[in-house]
Every structure is written in C-alpha cells, then in structure tokens.
Amino acid sequence: MPAQNKDEGGWKKFLWDSEKKEFLGRTGGSWSKIFLFYLIFYGCLAGIFIGTIQILLLTLSDYKPTWQDRVAPPGLTHYPRSDKAELIIYPEDDETYRTYIKAMKEFLESYDTEKQGDLMKFEDCGDQPGQYKNRGDLESDMGIRKACQFSKSFLGPCSGIEDRNFGFSEGKPCLIVKLNRIVNFRPKPPASNESIPEEAKHKVQPNVIPIHCTNKKEEDAGKLGEVKYYGIGGGFPLQYYPYYGKRPHSHYLQPLVAIQFVNISLNTEIRVECKVFGENIYYSDKDRYQGRFDVKIGVMTKST
C-alpha cells in the first residue's frame, strides 16, 4: 500500500512539481524556448512552401495550360453517346431512342440563335469555309475575344429544327460530331489527298478538316449505305479556330458536323468508324477517340 502511494505521488509530481515549478519535467522558461523554436521552425517550412508555390504560379499562364499532354490533339467525340458505344434503336419504339434525342437537344441548346445575339461576343463568319480568325496574341490583355456564330440550321435535317427526332423515328439516325477544344490549336487540312482513303479523297478542299465514316469490319461492306454530312463544307471549317481558352473565350462554339445514315441495312449491327484528316491530326491504338471514334449502330424492326 505505501508503494502504491509513492508511485501515485511520483506521477503527480512529474505532472506538476510545485517545488521546482516544473510542468511535465520542464520549467516555464524551458517550455517557452521549445515553443519559440518550433514556431520559427514551422514558420520557415511554411515560408518555403508558400514561396515554392508562388514561384510555380509565376511560370503558369492565365491563358494557356503549361502542359497539354493528357490527350494528344485532337479528340473526336459524338452525340448521342452511350456507355458501350452502341446505338441500337427500333424506329417504331421511341423508348429505344428517347434518351438519345434528349441528349442531342441538351447539347445543341448552346447553339440556339438567341444565345448568339451579343455582337460583343459573336460575329457572323459566313456559311462557307474560311481562313483562321486572328483575334490577337493568346496571352495579350485584349480581354474577351469574339467567336464565330454557328447556326443549327447548318446541320440540315439533323439540326432538330424540323425533325425533332433527329431521324431516329424514320430509321435514319443522326450523329452530331465535334473536335474537342484545345487552346491555340489550329488544325491543318491535308496537304494532298494521298494520305486519306480513296473513297474520301474527293473531300479534300481548302480551309476544311474533312471527316469520313465507313464500316470498320470488312464483313459489313455495303451494309452501311449512303452517309450524308451536314455542316459548313461538310467538315470543320478553319475560321472557327483557334480557341483562346476559357477565360477570354468562354462563349466559344465549336463547329459541328452532322452525320446521317440514310439507308443503313436493317436488323444488322454495324461497327462504324469516323475519322478526321489533317496534317497535324494523329491516331492512337490506345485511344479510340484520338482523331476518330467508332460506334456500333443498329436499326432494328419488331419482327426480328
């Protein structure tokens, strides 16, 4: 029992020694020196960290990403999209394509004419392919840059203006295609038609990035039928480039191309590949959306 009291007294004395005025074995002066040391030590660490971040920020541009190696330019995407890259529809059953129509309408909302009426932000660049629009240096302090207007009417029957079902109800489905935005990227048309397939050579023309869709598998040859392309020049016109970034070009609209499969074989699932062609457009086996995309399309009837 006395030993227990001694231990208990020793613990209490270590916590606070009234004779030496020590708390946890240290005097007030000792604790003050420790707190001062760590205050200076961690203050220096914080200063080094903040200084490093500030120096790093000085190397970054407000207008252009320092590194753009996440995706090699340019990506090609389409609407509507599905998780499995499949568009299998039954024209007489709107439930099989209702979500596709909704997605296309939502995507095209930003292309409504009334949203492009501010002449401080938009300009009419015409309905024919033209040269690049030079709106000043990328990192100049010119502020908001104008963007070219793009009317949905350029997309013909795939615009959703007259046919609210984008051809799905008639078994003539449409795809809306765009090149992904890349700051200060200027796509270059093919210098010649030697680098593109024979069936797409006629599409080479000045000031347009051509696009062409075909069956990906040889066994589907002849099943795809006629493919129509709607847009300015049937491709991506150069006057919509370059894109100056989100800060000065937040209202920017990419040019679109509508692709319609007007007589695709019924009751057959066809893997379709669409590619754009240009001098600085590349493809990768590791990325199915780099300069191209493929999608399985099937127009079915209830009798199957």
Side-chain angles (χ1 to χ4, degrees):
M1 195 68 175
Q4 183 178 358
N5 291 336
K6 183 178 180 180
D7 292 341
E8 184 178 348
W11 179 82
K12 289 183 177 179
K13 190 173 183 178
F14 173 74
L15 184 65
W16 170 247
D17 188 340
S18 58
E19 295 178 1
K20 297 181 180 181
K21 305 296 183 182
E22 292 180 348
F23 176 69
L24 297 178
R26 291 183 181 275
T27 63
S30 178
W31 279 115
S32 299
K33 292 177 181 178
I34 289 177
F35 279 123
L36 180 61
F37 169 78
Y38 280 107
L39 179 64
I40 296 174
F41 176 71
Y42 286 111
C44 291
L45 288 181
I48 293 173
F49 177 77
I50 294 173
T52 302
I53 295 299
Q54 291 299 320
I55 293 173
L56 177 62
L57 290 176
L58 292 176
T59 67
L60 301 179
S61 169
D62 291 333
Y63 302 95
K64 181 181 179 180
T66 303
W67 301 104
Q68 298 188 97
D69 57 353
R70 183 177 179 182
V71 177
L76 186 69
T77 54
H78 63 87
Y79 291 84
R81 292 180 289 185
S82 63
D83 294 336
K84 297 181 179 180
E86 295 181 354
L87 299 176
I88 309 300
I89 65 168
Y90 290 80
E92 63 270 31
D93 184 1
D94 63 351
E95 290 188 2
T96 62
Y97 53 82
R98 187 180 300 167
T99 56
Y100 301 150
I101 292 175
K102 180 181 178 182
M104 295 178 78
K105 288 181 179 179
E106 290 176 350
F107 171 68
L108 290 174
E109 281 181 357
S110 57
Y111 289 83
D112 290 341
T113 303
E114 57 270 18
K115 295 183 179 180
Q116 304 178 50
D118 188 348
L119 298 183
M120 297 296 292
K121 295 181 178 180
F122 293 95
E123 66 174 309
D124 184 359
C125 296
D127 59 359
Q128 296 298 319
Q131 288 286 344
Y132 304 112
K133 286 286 184 179
N134 185 1
R135 307 184 191 278
D137 294 335
L138 179 65
E139 299 190 25
S140 67
D141 56 356
M142 294 178 59
I144 300 297
R145 316 297 174 92
K146 286 189 176 183
C148 288
Q149 297 170 333
F150 190 92
S151 173
K152 289 193 292 186
S153 62
F154 295 155
L155 303 180
C158 296
S159 64
I161 298 175
E162 296 181 1
D163 182 1
R164 303 292 291 176
N165 292 322
F166 298 93
F168 285 94
S169 60
E170 299 178 358
K172 301 177 180 180
C174 293
L175 295 178
I176 307 297
V177 184
K178 66 182 180 69
L179 282 172
N180 291 346
R181 299 178 182 181
I182 299 177
V183 177
N184 208 34
F185 177 66
R186 290 172 170 82
K188 298 180 181 179
S192 67
N193 60 6
E194 299 300 324
S195 60
I196 63 178
E198 184 69 33
E199 62 272 17
K201 288 184 177 181
H202 67 282
K203 294 187 175 184
V204 176
Q205 57 178 309
N207 304 325
V208 173
I209 302 298
I211 182 172
H212 182 69
C213 299
T214 185
N215 52 284
K216 189 172 184 178
K217 298 180 179 180
E218 293 184 4
E219 58 265 29
D220 291 331
K223 298 179 181 178
L224 190 58
E226 182 182 6
V227 182
K228 292 187 177 181
Y229 304 84
Y230 300 96
I232 299 179
F236 300 99
L238 301 188
Q239 66 259 40
Y240 286 82
Y241 301 94
Y243 166 55
Y244 282 85
K246 190 173 183 179
R247 184 171 180 177
H249 233 172
S250 60
H251 50 287
Y252 172 80
L253 295 175
Q254 295 137 288
L256 305 176
V257 175
I259 301 171
Q260 187 173 31
F261 306 94
V262 295
N263 58 350
I264 191 170
S265 297
L266 299 178
N267 305 320
T268 303
E269 296 182 358
I270 304 173
R271 179 63 67 176
V272 180
E273 182 180 60
C274 297
K275 299 176 69 173
V276 287
F277 301 93
E279 285 191 51
N280 55 349
I281 295 177
Y282 311 102
Y283 316 104
S284 171
D285 293 334
K286 297 180 180 179
D287 187 351
R288 62 189 298 180
Y289 290 102
Q290 184 178 326
R292 63 182 176 184
F293 68 83
D294 64 85
V295 59
K296 182 184 291 186
I297 298 178
V299 178
M300 308 297 181
T301 60
K302 285 292 186 178
S303 59
T304 59

